[in-house]
Amino acid sequence: MSRHASRRRLTLVSLAGVGALSAAGISLLPSLASAAPCPDVEVVFARGTGEAPGLGITGTPLVNGLKSALPGKTVSSYAVDYAANFSQTSAGPGATDMTDRVKTIASNCPATAFVLGGYSQGGSVTDIALGIPTRLGTGRTIPSQLADRVKAVVVFGNPLRLSGRTIASASDLYGAKAKEFCNTGDPVCGNGRNSAAHLTYHLNGSVEQGARFAADKISGG
Protein backbone atom coordinates (compact mmCIF):
# COMPACT_ATOMS: atom_id res chain seq x y z
CA MET A 1 0.00 0.00 0.00
CA SER A 2 1.42 3.47 -0.92
CA ARG A 3 2.15 6.00 1.80
CA HIS A 4 -0.59 8.28 0.36
CA ALA A 5 -3.17 5.49 0.44
CA SER A 6 -2.19 4.57 3.99
CA ARG A 7 -2.66 8.13 5.18
CA ARG A 8 -6.04 8.32 3.42
CA ARG A 9 -7.19 5.09 5.12
CA LEU A 10 -6.13 6.37 8.56
CA THR A 11 -8.07 9.58 7.95
CA LEU A 12 -11.20 7.65 7.04
CA VAL A 13 -10.86 5.41 10.08
CA SER A 14 -10.44 8.44 12.33
CA LEU A 15 -13.51 10.10 10.86
CA ALA A 16 -15.51 6.90 11.29
CA GLY A 17 -14.43 6.77 14.93
CA VAL A 18 -15.60 10.33 15.52
CA GLY A 19 -18.91 9.45 13.85
CA ALA A 20 -19.33 6.43 16.11
CA LEU A 21 -18.63 8.48 19.19
CA SER A 22 -21.12 11.10 18.07
CA ALA A 23 -23.75 8.46 17.41
CA ALA A 24 -23.18 7.13 20.90
CA GLY A 25 -23.72 10.58 22.35
CA ILE A 26 -20.04 11.11 23.19
CA SER A 27 -18.55 14.46 22.19
CA LEU A 28 -14.88 15.20 21.70
CA LEU A 29 -15.57 18.89 22.24
CA PRO A 30 -15.93 20.56 25.65
CA SER A 31 -19.46 20.33 27.00
CA LEU A 32 -21.49 23.42 26.24
CA ALA A 33 -23.56 22.75 29.35
CA SER A 34 -20.52 22.78 31.60
CA ALA A 35 -19.26 25.97 29.97
CA ALA A 36 -22.60 27.79 30.19
CA PRO A 37 -22.81 30.57 32.77
CA CYS A 38 -24.90 29.96 35.86
CA PRO A 39 -28.43 31.40 35.69
CA ASP A 40 -29.75 33.87 38.24
CA VAL A 41 -32.81 31.65 38.69
CA GLU A 42 -33.60 28.04 37.86
CA VAL A 43 -37.15 26.71 37.80
CA VAL A 44 -37.36 23.00 38.65
CA PHE A 45 -40.84 21.78 37.73
CA ALA A 46 -42.61 18.41 37.72
CA ARG A 47 -45.34 17.86 35.11
CA GLY A 48 -48.69 16.22 35.81
CA THR A 49 -49.85 12.64 35.45
CA GLY A 50 -49.93 11.42 31.87
CA GLU A 51 -48.19 14.44 30.38
CA ALA A 52 -45.36 13.93 27.91
CA PRO A 53 -41.84 14.51 29.27
CA GLY A 54 -41.11 18.20 29.66
CA LEU A 55 -42.45 21.08 31.72
CA GLY A 56 -46.08 20.36 30.79
CA ILE A 57 -49.12 22.56 30.30
CA THR A 58 -48.56 24.57 33.48
CA GLY A 59 -44.79 24.48 33.82
CA THR A 60 -44.07 25.88 30.36
CA PRO A 61 -46.15 29.08 30.76
CA LEU A 62 -44.93 29.44 34.36
CA VAL A 63 -41.34 29.60 33.16
CA ASN A 64 -42.21 31.96 30.33
CA GLY A 65 -44.15 34.20 32.72
CA LEU A 66 -41.25 34.29 35.16
CA LYS A 67 -38.83 35.26 32.41
CA SER A 68 -41.11 38.11 31.40
CA ALA A 69 -41.47 39.25 35.01
CA LEU A 70 -37.69 39.24 35.58
CA PRO A 71 -36.29 41.01 32.51
CA GLY A 72 -32.97 41.79 34.16
CA LYS A 73 -32.27 38.21 35.23
CA THR A 74 -31.40 34.99 33.46
CA VAL A 75 -33.93 32.22 34.07
CA SER A 76 -33.29 28.58 33.19
CA SER A 77 -35.59 25.61 33.66
CA TYR A 78 -35.38 21.90 34.36
CA ALA A 79 -38.18 19.42 33.77
CA VAL A 80 -38.14 16.76 36.47
CA ASP A 81 -37.32 13.39 34.94
CA TYR A 82 -39.93 10.95 36.23
CA ALA A 83 -42.63 8.64 34.87
CA ALA A 84 -45.71 10.71 35.86
CA ASN A 85 -47.61 7.43 35.62
CA PHE A 86 -51.32 6.87 36.09
CA SER A 87 -50.69 4.40 38.90
CA GLN A 88 -49.41 7.33 40.97
CA THR A 89 -46.28 5.47 42.04
CA SER A 90 -43.66 7.73 40.50
CA ALA A 91 -43.79 10.75 42.80
CA GLY A 92 -41.03 9.40 45.05
CA PRO A 93 -38.50 8.90 42.25
CA GLY A 94 -39.54 12.29 40.88
CA ALA A 95 -38.77 13.91 44.22
CA THR A 96 -35.35 12.30 44.20
CA ASP A 97 -34.66 13.72 40.74
CA MET A 98 -35.88 17.17 41.79
CA THR A 99 -33.66 17.06 44.87
CA ASP A 100 -30.63 15.85 42.94
CA ARG A 101 -31.06 18.65 40.41
CA VAL A 102 -31.25 21.31 43.10
CA LYS A 103 -28.20 19.91 44.88
CA THR A 104 -26.17 19.76 41.67
CA ILE A 105 -26.96 23.29 40.53
CA ALA A 106 -26.58 24.67 44.04
CA SER A 107 -23.12 23.14 44.26
CA ASN A 108 -21.98 24.35 40.85
CA CYS A 109 -23.73 27.73 40.92
CA PRO A 110 -23.54 29.28 44.42
CA ALA A 111 -25.50 32.41 43.46
CA THR A 112 -28.40 30.69 41.65
CA ALA A 113 -31.83 30.90 43.28
CA PHE A 114 -34.55 28.29 42.78
CA VAL A 115 -38.26 28.20 42.07
CA LEU A 116 -39.77 24.76 42.61
CA GLY A 117 -43.16 23.52 41.57
CA GLY A 118 -45.41 20.91 40.09
CA TYR A 119 -48.81 20.14 38.71
CA SER A 120 -51.08 17.29 39.84
CA GLN A 121 -48.80 14.35 40.68
CA GLY A 122 -45.98 16.84 40.18
CA GLY A 123 -47.33 18.59 43.26
CA SER A 124 -46.68 15.41 45.22
CA VAL A 125 -43.17 15.28 43.74
CA THR A 126 -42.63 18.76 45.12
CA ASP A 127 -44.13 17.92 48.53
CA ILE A 128 -41.83 14.95 49.00
CA ALA A 129 -38.75 16.90 47.88
CA LEU A 130 -39.64 19.55 50.46
CA GLY A 131 -39.77 16.89 53.17
CA ILE A 132 -43.57 16.70 53.50
CA PRO A 133 -44.82 13.12 54.00
CA THR A 134 -47.47 11.97 51.53
CA ARG A 135 -49.26 8.75 50.66
CA LEU A 136 -47.64 8.67 47.23
CA GLY A 137 -44.23 7.39 48.18
CA THR A 138 -40.89 8.54 49.48
CA GLY A 139 -37.79 10.02 47.92
CA ARG A 140 -34.73 12.11 48.69
CA THR A 141 -35.42 15.53 50.17
CA ILE A 142 -33.67 18.84 49.67
CA PRO A 143 -31.12 19.45 52.45
CA SER A 144 -32.33 22.05 54.92
CA GLN A 145 -29.18 24.11 54.41
CA LEU A 146 -30.36 24.81 50.86
CA ALA A 147 -33.81 26.02 51.91
CA ASP A 148 -32.75 29.68 51.73
CA ARG A 149 -31.82 29.20 48.09
CA VAL A 150 -35.40 28.16 47.28
CA LYS A 151 -37.15 31.50 46.90
CA ALA A 152 -40.61 30.28 45.85
CA VAL A 153 -42.72 27.14 45.49
CA VAL A 154 -45.69 27.12 43.09
CA VAL A 155 -48.03 24.13 42.76
CA PHE A 156 -51.26 23.48 40.89
CA GLY A 157 -53.84 20.83 41.78
CA ASN A 158 -51.70 19.39 44.57
CA PRO A 159 -53.16 16.12 46.01
CA LEU A 160 -51.78 17.08 49.44
CA ARG A 161 -55.00 19.03 50.06
CA LEU A 162 -57.00 15.82 50.11
CA SER A 163 -55.33 15.05 53.44
CA GLY A 164 -56.40 18.41 54.84
CA ARG A 165 -52.92 19.88 54.52
CA THR A 166 -51.14 22.44 52.39
CA ILE A 167 -47.47 23.24 51.96
CA ALA A 168 -48.13 26.35 54.02
CA SER A 169 -49.47 24.32 56.93
CA ALA A 170 -47.11 21.34 56.61
CA SER A 171 -43.71 22.99 56.15
CA ASP A 172 -42.03 25.50 58.44
CA LEU A 173 -39.15 25.86 55.98
CA TYR A 174 -41.14 26.47 52.81
CA GLY A 175 -44.69 27.35 53.86
CA ALA A 176 -44.26 31.11 53.64
CA LYS A 177 -42.72 30.77 50.19
CA ALA A 178 -45.52 28.65 48.72
CA LYS A 179 -48.34 29.62 46.36
CA GLU A 180 -50.90 26.84 45.95
CA PHE A 181 -53.73 26.74 43.44
CA CYS A 182 -56.75 24.44 43.71
CA ASN A 183 -59.74 25.14 41.49
CA THR A 184 -63.22 24.73 42.87
CA GLY A 185 -64.47 21.28 41.95
CA ASP A 186 -61.02 19.86 41.21
CA PRO A 187 -61.17 16.17 42.25
CA VAL A 188 -57.38 15.89 42.59
CA CYS A 189 -56.92 18.60 45.20
CA GLY A 190 -60.42 19.65 46.27
CA ASN A 191 -62.33 16.38 46.43
CA GLY A 192 -64.69 17.76 43.79
CA ARG A 193 -66.37 16.12 40.83
CA ASN A 194 -65.44 18.44 37.99
CA SER A 195 -62.58 16.86 36.06
CA ALA A 196 -62.38 19.88 33.78
CA ALA A 197 -61.47 22.02 36.78
CA HIS A 198 -58.20 20.13 37.03
CA LEU A 199 -57.25 21.00 33.47
CA THR A 200 -57.66 24.78 33.38
CA TYR A 201 -54.88 26.21 35.53
CA HIS A 202 -53.05 27.40 32.44
CA LEU A 203 -56.23 29.05 31.15
CA ASN A 204 -57.76 30.79 34.17
CA GLY A 205 -54.92 33.09 35.23
CA SER A 206 -53.48 30.80 37.90
CA VAL A 207 -50.17 30.33 36.09
CA GLU A 208 -49.76 34.07 35.61
CA GLN A 209 -50.45 34.64 39.31
CA GLY A 210 -47.91 31.96 40.19
CA ALA A 211 -45.26 33.55 38.02
CA ARG A 212 -45.85 36.98 39.55
CA PHE A 213 -45.71 35.49 43.05
CA ALA A 214 -42.37 33.81 42.32
CA ALA A 215 -40.97 36.95 40.70
CA ASP A 216 -41.95 39.04 43.73
CA LYS A 217 -40.30 36.55 46.08
CA ILE A 218 -37.10 36.63 44.04
CA SER A 219 -37.04 40.40 43.72
CA GLY A 220 -37.76 40.84 47.42
CA GLY A 221 -35.27 38.23 48.47
Side-chain angles (χ1 to χ4, degrees):
M1 180 183 295
S2 70
R3 182 175 300 176
H4 178 75
S6 177
R7 287 179 178 175
R8 182 172 181 274
R9 182 177 179 184
L10 287 172
T11 300
L12 291 173
V13 169
S14 297
L15 289 173
V18 170
L21 288 172
S22 298
I26 302 172
S27 174
L28 297 182
L29 298 175
S31 169
L32 293 177
S34 63
C38 292
D40 295 316
V41 181
E42 171 144 304
V43 182
V44 184
F45 196 88
R47 71 192 190 281
T49 300
E51 290 193 271
L55 294 171
I57 61 173
T58 58
T60 298
L62 179 70
V63 171
N64 291 338
L66 191 59
K67 288 179 178 179
S68 297
L70 296 172
K73 294 184 180 294
T74 55
V75 179
S76 65
S77 62
Y78 176 77
V80 173
D81 184 10
Y82 85 119
N85 56 29
F86 285 97
S87 62
Q88 305 290 304
T89 60
S90 55
T96 293
D97 188 69
M98 176 179 279
T99 293
D100 288 349
R101 177 66 180 187
V102 170
K103 289 169 63 178
T104 297
I105 297 300
S107 176
N108 294 330
C109 301
T112 296
F114 296 93
V115 174
L116 308 182
Y119 165 52
S120 192
Q121 188 179 172
S124 295
V125 168
T126 308
D127 298 333
I128 297 168
L130 298 181
I132 300 172
T134 78
R135 298 176 180 177
L136 294 183
T138 59
R140 285 198 286 273
T141 61
I142 297 167
S144 59
Q145 61 265 31
L146 294 180
D148 287 344
R149 302 276 297 273
V150 178
K151 301 303 182 182
V153 179
V154 183
V155 293
F156 307 89
N158 188 358
L160 183 67
R161 282 179 175 261
L162 295 180
S163 67
R165 296 175 296 159
T166 63
I167 295 173
S169 68
S171 175
D172 292 334
L173 281 176
Y174 300 99
K177 306 175 183 181
K179 186 70 171 178
E180 305 170 70
F181 296 91
C182 181
N183 287 337
T184 300
D186 186 336
V188 175
C189 62
N191 207 25
R193 297 184 178 182
N194 182 7
S195 297
H198 189 61
L199 304 173
T200 56
Y201 292 100
H202 64 300
L203 301 174
N204 66 3
S206 296
V207 170
E208 290 80 4
Q209 291 179 49
R212 287 195 298 269
F213 172 83
D216 288 345
K217 288 293 186 182
I218 291 166
S219 298

